Amino acid sequence: MQQLEKPSLSYSLSDWRQGYESQYQEREYLIDDIEGEIPLDLSGTLYRNGPGLLDVHGTPLQHPFDGDGMICAFTFDNGSCFFRNRFVQTKEYLEEQKAGKMLYRGVFGSQKPGGWLANLFDMRIKNIANTNVLYWGDKLLALWEAAHPYRLNPENLATIGLDDLDGVLQKGDVFSAHPRIDRTSQFNHGKPSLVNFGIKQGVSSTITIYEFDELGKIIQKYSHETKGFCFIHDFVITPNYCILFQNPTTYNPLPFIFGLRGAGECLDFDNSKPTKIILIPRNTPHEKVITLEASAGFIFHHSNAFEINREEIVVDSICYEQLSQIDPDNSYKEVDFDKLAPGQLWRFKLNLATQKVTKELINQRCVEFPSIHPDNVGRDYRYIFIGATDHPTKNAPLQALLKLDLETKQEQLYSFAPKGFVSEPVFVPKNNASGEDDGWVLMLVYDSRHHRSDLVIFDGKDISQPVATLHLKQHIPYGLHGSFHSAK
Ligand code: FE2
């Protein structure tokens, strides 16, 4: 029988690019175009954040990470879903809306029109609040890693303003977009706590760890200095440690200062240096910081970490061989995926006694944006739900949902190729769940065939088919992170 050769590409660049068109409209409506049925026990709100504008009044951005944050909220109640999207009205967003033109450079390379002279010595940072959104205590917060969070009204997503977390953040402090929730924190009497970090750059960089109780009140705050520039986007926790991977990067700010390059384009990956793995004790006095070394690699996101015993710790991360440099001369829309280093899931084993780190590849497929059962953050776990490529080995845009069983090594994949492009999945445990994968997986998918986005719901136990597909009336540009909150 003649074998039909699978097309080498599961996507077209022009389809993929359409998902990066700006979404100018803010809307709210009950979603009425639904395939399948929304589970009746799915109750609460999925919040998503990501760049909503990929241009500022007609000036295209050099990198999507520079786009103004737009929040989407999907509120589930009794088998229905209400959708709402609104921009985070940051000070800079409002100024640019009023001026009708771009007033700020973007950290990732977007320059004001007018060449280097127009950007010379303009060191102002635009807080775009576009990376994550999280409900904690009684606050809904839009997060961006180089500034204070913005507080939003959870009822209608209206922006309340910059938030210093009840005086915890001082002027100039930053709060990362990747907090971790410890569901049974020994520092909060076994109740949930929110742990996060912020980094102040310098010749020596200062990592500050914050831990809050379930009401948003600070429990502990402590700092550690590490040599060199720190490009650390995410971290992991275990019951006893905060663990940060200091990617081997150097930073030369001069092209940024002189208006020639964006700050993000001044980063260099140095594969002659190791990745430093910094373990900061969560226990007071937080002094016995352990620093280990692994071969060079670049990590944006971790899946999870856990302690096997007092001496052995496991960290699962999406690791790239190198940081793909931002090309200042080409638009991100012209990307050649074959030339980019693929992100793959690796397991790092840290031995605190021997100070040795080993790593092994968990799965060959290119993946990003992991999600796990929230009760297992910092603890041994079995299942990962993650955005994945359609092709089993080649680099490409994310077009599929992958479920990985770390115990049996089995995997299940649902692909939206060739026309669909996925975002981060969010795993929501069912009420009275009967296992770690017994929950709903929510995923926003861009459908290039109709130039609109769908919110797709899977049953975590079996992702061979969606349970429901909710068609929005418009597209949502590719987003970054989000979270689920059970209050309606
Ligand atoms: Fe991230």
Coordinates of all heavy atoms in Angstrom, one line a residue, residues 207-236:
I207 N 17.7 38.9 44.8 CA 16.5 38.2 44.7 C 15.7 38.3 46.0 O 16.2 37.9 47.1 CB 16.8 36.7 44.5 CG1 17.6 36.5 43.2 CG2 15.5 35.9 44.4 CD1 18.2 35.1 43.0
T208 N 14.5 38.8 46.0 CA 13.7 38.9 47.2 C 12.5 38.0 47.1 O 11.8 37.9 46.0 CB 13.2 40.4 47.4 OG1 14.3 41.2 47.5 CG2 12.3 40.5 48.7
I209 N 12.3 37.2 48.1 CA 11.2 36.2 48.2 C 10.1 36.8 49.1 O 10.4 37.3 50.2 CB 11.7 34.9 48.8 CG1 12.9 34.3 48.0 CG2 10.5 33.9 48.8 CD1 12.6 33.8 46.6
Y210 N 8.8 36.7 48.6 CA 7.7 37.1 49.4 C 6.8 35.9 49.6 O 6.5 35.1 48.7 CB 6.9 38.2 48.7 CG 7.7 39.4 48.2 CD1 8.3 39.4 47.0 CD2 7.8 40.5 49.0 CE1 9.0 40.5 46.5 CE2 8.5 41.6 48.6 CZ 9.1 41.6 47.3 OH 9.8 42.7 46.9
E211 N 6.2 35.8 50.8 CA 5.2 34.7 51.1 C 4.0 35.4 51.8 O 4.2 36.0 52.8 CB 5.8 33.6 51.9 CG 4.8 32.5 52.1 CD 5.4 31.1 52.4 OE1 6.6 31.0 52.4 OE2 4.6 30.1 52.6
F212 N 2.8 35.2 51.2 CA 1.6 35.8 51.8 C 0.7 34.7 52.3 O 0.6 33.6 51.7 CB 0.9 36.6 50.7 CG 1.7 37.7 50.1 CD1 2.6 37.5 49.1 CD2 1.6 39.0 50.7 CE1 3.4 38.5 48.6 CE2 2.3 40.0 50.2 CZ 3.2 39.8 49.1
D213 N -0.1 35.0 53.3 CA -1.1 34.0 53.7 C -2.4 34.1 52.8 O -2.4 34.9 51.8 CB -1.5 34.2 55.2 CG -2.3 35.5 55.5 OD1 -2.8 36.1 54.5 OD2 -2.5 35.8 56.6
E214 N -3.4 33.3 53.1 CA -4.5 33.2 52.2 C -5.3 34.5 52.1 O -6.2 34.7 51.2 CB -5.4 32.0 52.6 CG -6.3 32.2 53.8 CD -5.5 32.1 55.1 OE1 -4.3 32.0 55.1 OE2 -6.2 32.0 56.2
L215 N -5.1 35.4 53.1 CA -5.8 36.7 53.0 C -5.0 37.8 52.3 O -5.4 38.9 52.2 CB -6.2 37.1 54.5 CG -7.0 36.1 55.3 CD1 -7.1 36.6 56.7 CD2 -8.4 36.0 54.6
G216 N -3.8 37.4 51.9 CA -2.9 38.4 51.3 C -2.0 39.2 52.2 O -1.4 40.2 51.8
K217 N -1.9 38.7 53.5 CA -1.1 39.3 54.5 C 0.3 38.7 54.4 O 0.4 37.5 54.3 CB -1.7 39.1 55.9 CG -1.1 40.0 56.9 CD -2.1 40.0 58.1 CE -1.3 40.4 59.4 NZ -0.6 39.4 60.1
I218 N 1.3 39.6 54.5 CA 2.7 39.0 54.3 C 3.1 38.2 55.5 O 2.8 38.5 56.7 CB 3.7 40.2 54.1 CG1 5.1 39.7 53.7 CG2 3.8 41.1 55.4 CD1 5.3 39.4 52.3
I219 N 3.6 37.0 55.2 CA 4.1 36.1 56.3 C 5.6 36.2 56.5 O 6.1 36.3 57.6 CB 3.8 34.6 55.9 CG1 2.4 34.3 55.7 CG2 4.4 33.7 57.0 CD1 2.1 33.0 55.1
Q220 N 6.3 36.2 55.4 CA 7.8 36.4 55.4 C 8.3 37.0 54.1 O 7.7 36.8 53.1 CB 8.5 35.1 55.8 CG 8.1 33.9 55.0 CD 8.9 32.7 55.5 OE1 9.9 32.8 56.3 NE2 8.6 31.5 54.9
K221 N 9.4 37.7 54.3 CA 10.1 38.3 53.2 C 11.6 38.3 53.4 O 12.0 38.6 54.5 CB 9.6 39.8 53.1 CG 10.3 40.6 52.1 CD 9.8 42.1 52.1 CE 10.7 43.0 51.3 NZ 10.3 44.4 51.4
Y222 N 12.4 37.8 52.5 CA 13.8 37.7 52.7 C 14.5 37.8 51.4 O 13.9 37.6 50.3 CB 14.2 36.4 53.4 CG 13.4 35.2 52.9 CD1 13.9 34.3 51.9 CD2 12.1 34.9 53.4 CE1 13.3 33.2 51.4 CE2 11.4 33.8 52.9 CZ 12.0 32.9 51.9 OH 11.3 31.9 51.5
S223 N 15.8 38.1 51.4 CA 16.5 38.4 50.2 C 17.9 37.6 50.1 O 18.4 37.2 51.1 CB 16.9 39.9 50.1 OG 15.7 40.6 50.0
H224 N 18.3 37.5 48.9 CA 19.6 36.8 48.7 C 20.3 37.5 47.5 O 19.6 37.8 46.5 CB 19.4 35.3 48.3 CG 20.6 34.6 47.9 ND1 21.7 34.3 48.7 CD2 21.0 34.2 46.6 CE1 22.6 33.8 48.0 NE2 22.3 33.6 46.8
E225 N 21.6 37.7 47.6 CA 22.3 38.4 46.5 C 23.1 37.3 45.7 O 23.7 36.4 46.3 CB 23.3 39.4 47.1 CG 22.7 40.7 47.4 CD 23.7 41.8 47.4 OE1 24.8 41.7 47.0 OE2 23.3 42.9 47.9
T226 N 23.1 37.5 44.4 CA 23.8 36.6 43.6 C 24.6 37.4 42.5 O 24.1 38.4 42.1 CB 22.9 35.6 42.9 OG1 23.7 34.7 42.1 CG2 21.8 36.2 42.0
K227 N 25.8 36.9 42.2 CA 26.6 37.7 41.3 C 26.1 37.7 39.9 O 25.5 36.7 39.4 CB 28.0 37.0 41.2 CG 29.0 37.5 42.2 CD 30.4 37.0 41.9 CE 31.3 37.2 43.1 NZ 32.5 36.4 43.0
G228 N 26.2 38.8 39.2 CA 25.9 38.9 37.8 C 24.4 39.2 37.5 O 23.6 39.4 38.4
F229 N 24.2 39.3 36.2 CA 22.8 39.7 35.7 C 21.9 38.5 35.9 O 22.3 37.3 35.7 CB 22.9 40.1 34.3 CG 21.6 40.6 33.7 CD1 21.2 41.8 34.0 CD2 20.8 39.7 32.9 CE1 20.0 42.3 33.5 CE2 19.6 40.2 32.4 CZ 19.2 41.4 32.7
C230 N 20.7 38.7 36.3 CA 19.7 37.6 36.5 C 18.5 37.8 35.6 O 17.7 38.6 35.8 CB 19.1 37.8 37.9 SG 19.9 36.8 39.2
F231 N 18.5 36.9 34.5 CA 17.3 36.9 33.7 C 16.5 35.6 34.2 O 16.8 34.5 33.7 CB 17.6 36.8 32.2 CG 16.4 36.9 31.3 CD1 16.5 36.9 30.0 CD2 15.1 37.0 31.8 CE1 15.4 36.9 29.1 CE2 14.0 37.1 31.0 CZ 14.2 37.0 29.6
I232 N 15.6 35.8 35.2 CA 14.9 34.7 35.8 C 13.4 35.1 35.7 O 12.9 36.0 36.3 CB 15.3 34.5 37.2 CG1 16.8 34.1 37.3 CG2 14.5 33.3 37.8 CD1 17.3 33.9 38.7
H233 N 12.7 34.3 34.9 CA 11.3 34.6 34.6 C 10.4 33.9 35.5 O 9.3 34.3 35.9 CB 11.0 34.3 33.1 CG 9.6 34.4 32.7 ND1 9.0 35.7 32.6 CD2 8.6 33.5 32.4 CE1 7.7 35.5 32.2 NE2 7.5 34.2 32.1
D234 N 10.7 32.7 35.9 CA 9.9 31.8 36.7 C 10.7 31.1 37.8 O 11.9 31.2 37.7 CB 9.3 30.7 35.7 CG 8.2 29.8 36.3 OD1 7.7 30.1 37.4 OD2 7.9 28.8 35.6
F235 N 10.1 30.5 38.7 CA 10.8 29.7 39.7 C 9.9 28.6 40.2 O 8.8 28.4 39.7 CB 11.2 30.7 40.9 CG 10.2 31.0 42.0 CD1 10.5 30.9 43.3 CD2 8.9 31.2 41.6 CE1 9.6 31.2 44.3 CE2 7.9 31.5 42.6 CZ 8.3 31.5 43.9
V236 N 10.5 27.8 41.1 CA 9.7 26.7 41.7 C 9.8 26.6 43.2 O 10.8 27.2 43.7 CB 10.1 25.3 41.1 CG1 9.3 24.9 39.9 CG2 11.5 25.2 40.8

